[in-house]
Amino acid sequence: SRVTWYRVPTPYVGGDPITYIEYGRQMTSFYQPHVREPVFLAMTSVGLWALDDQDYGVSLASAVGSTVAIFATYLVGAAILSPLSGLLAALLTATELEMVTWGVDGWRDDTFTGTILFSVWALLRLRARPSVGNALLAGGLCALSCLTRITAITFIVPAFIWLVIDRAAAPRRDRARAVVVAAVALVVIV
């Protein structure tokens, strides 16, 4: 199929991107109380700053989120199967029509996808090698997912439970301790 690009006379109207622009301009600190989670708002705020407060800053934020999601896809594929599998998965993600067309429209979905994939990658590392460092990494990346979209908690809690009850090679006691460290890190950051 062929992608046709055309100029939209009033971009961002009729959806969340226009509110991200508005809220990004209002953002004064990362943890300020708000109706939206802060990660994509902060990215939008930086995008607006980088493009001299033009509305297209939200497109820059969205494009960065899409690019991050491609790299995160590689990491998960490489962790599960092989670096070649990760590369192929990243290539498929980067060339997927919806990813290409929606990836610059000012939505946070690709950013959320990237944070979820980074969380999955960190949780796989934690499962294989339960250490304080890997637990802090997993907790921090899971917190990043929650700070992008709070509903991420619906996959994080089951993943933490799975890490403890799974029949992984690492001792269950070590995995349980690591999950507690990851959970504390997540709560502190969020």
Side-chain angles (χ1 to χ4, degrees), residues 46-70:
V46 169
L48 290 166
W49 171 82
L51 296 179
D52 199 27
D53 205 38
Q54 294 182 65
D55 289 352
Y56 296 110
V58 74
S59 289
L60 179 60
S62 186
V64 168
S66 297
T67 304
V68 164
I70 294 165

Side-chain angles (χ1 to χ4, degrees), residues 55-185:
D55 289 352
Y56 296 110
V58 74
S59 289
L60 179 60
S62 186
V64 168
S66 297
T67 304
V68 164
I70 294 165
F71 179 65
T73 300
Y74 165 77
L75 289 176
V76 171
I80 292 174
L81 294 173
S82 70
L84 180 59
S85 298
L87 189 60
L88 290 173
L91 178 64
L92 289 172
T93 301
T95 58
E96 198 276 324
L97 180 63
E98 296 299 317
M99 186 87 158
V100 171
T101 56
W102 285 80
V104 295
D105 275 352
W107 300 87
R108 69 177 169 170
D109 300 305
D110 292 348
T111 301
F112 184 55
T113 299
T115 64
I116 287 174
L117 289 167
F118 275 120
S119 297
V120 168
W121 169 75
L123 292 168
L124 289 168
R125 288 174 53 96
L126 186 61
R127 178 181 180 260
R129 293 177 303 283
S131 66
V132 172
N134 282 339
L136 292 173
L137 178 65
L141 290 174
C142 287
L144 190 66
S145 288
C146 287
L147 292 172
T148 303
R149 188 173 277 157
I150 195 62
T151 56
I153 201 71
T154 62
F155 90 84
I156 293 168
V157 170
F160 282 173
I161 293 168
W162 169 75
L163 281 173
V164 175
I165 64 174
D166 183 50
R167 294 184 182 157
R172 181 171 286 163
R173 184 184 70 230
D174 293 346
R175 286 182 281 129
R177 281 189 208 143
V179 165
V180 168
V181 171
V184 168

Side-chain angles (χ1 to χ4, degrees), residues 8-27 34-36 40-41 44-45 48 53-59 61-62 102 104-108:
V8 177
T10 53
Y12 312 120
V13 176
D16 284 345
I18 196 72
T19 61
Y20 297 135
I21 293 166
E22 177 187 345
Y23 297 153
R25 285 188 175 121
Q26 296 170 358
M27 189 171 207
H34 207 279
V35 296
R36 291 288 190 172
F40 194 72
L41 290 181
T44 300
S45 185
L48 290 166
D53 205 38
Q54 294 182 65
D55 289 352
Y56 296 110
V58 74
S59 289
S62 186
W102 285 80
V104 295
D105 275 352
W107 300 87
R108 69 177 169 170

